[in-house]
Amino acid sequence: MKKTTATLRYIDPALIDPNPYRNFRLNPLRPEQISNLFESFEYNGQKDTVTVTDPGTGRYELVAGHHRLAAMGGLKQYLPENVPTHAAPKVRVLIEAMTQDEKIQWQIDENARQPGTHAAGDADSAQPAIHRLACLL
């Protein structure tokens, strides 16, 4: 992956759309992880950023950090019922300039580091881009 220049900002979580390559059917948001993050945010605030891109539409596209964003009140349409979330007015994000292939690779890399995630599910939903990445190597 090429080195990019990132910008740190605070933005409204409602302005962040999920990564279109995340397959919520194969890799749904996990209520227990969201609840744990919610408790952590209540006591410690947001420690880690979520990574987004800015396509220039006035909205942002999430690359990584779906559970963190959900715990802060974003991605409501993907949340299971009765999961507590923190109504954060602003979320600390890292805005990266990335190609679609880089977004997929970033998401897979981050999920592979998380216990209990389904990076393979993300990989299945992103096979065309992964094939393109493999051809570049």
Side-chain angles (χ1 to χ4, degrees):
M1 188 179 305
K2 69 179 181 183
K3 182 71 174 163
T4 61
T5 303
T7 304
L8 184 66
R9 285 205 188 128
Y10 291 83
I11 60 175
D12 181 342
L15 295 176
I16 303 173
D17 297 321
N19 186 321
Y21 296 105
R22 181 180 182 119
N23 186 326
F24 284 95
R25 187 179 53 77
L26 293 174
N27 190 8
L29 293 173
R30 292 181 306 285
E32 67 281 354
Q33 186 171 352
I34 295 168
S35 294
N36 290 341
L37 286 166
F38 169 78
E39 288 178 24
S40 174
F41 296 151
E42 288 290 300
Y43 291 109
N44 305 313
Q46 181 187 359
K47 297 282 186 196
D48 295 322
T49 60
V50 295
T51 305
V52 301
T53 58
D54 181 357
T57 62
R59 298 190 60 79
Y60 298 86
E61 187 176 283
L62 188 61
V63 175
H66 287 81
H67 286 90
R68 283 169 282 182
L69 182 59
M72 290 182 278
L75 302 177
K76 291 185 185 298
Q77 69 272 34
Y78 299 100
L79 286 175
E81 290 185 27
N82 302 320
V83 176
T85 61
H86 179 74
K90 300 285 183 179
V91 176
R92 189 172 64 217
V93 301
L94 194 60
I95 302 172
E96 292 271 0
M98 294 184 196
T99 66
Q100 291 297 328
D101 291 346
E102 289 169 330
K103 289 179 205 179
I104 293 166
Q105 187 60 52
W106 188 295
Q107 180 186 13
I108 291 170
D109 288 347
E110 178 160 303
N111 282 339
R113 291 190 300 268
Q114 301 297 321
T117 60
H118 299 88
D122 288 340
D124 290 342
S125 65
Q127 274 303 320
I130 292 170
H131 178 72
R132 288 195 307 273
L133 282 172
C135 291
L136 294 173
L137 299 176

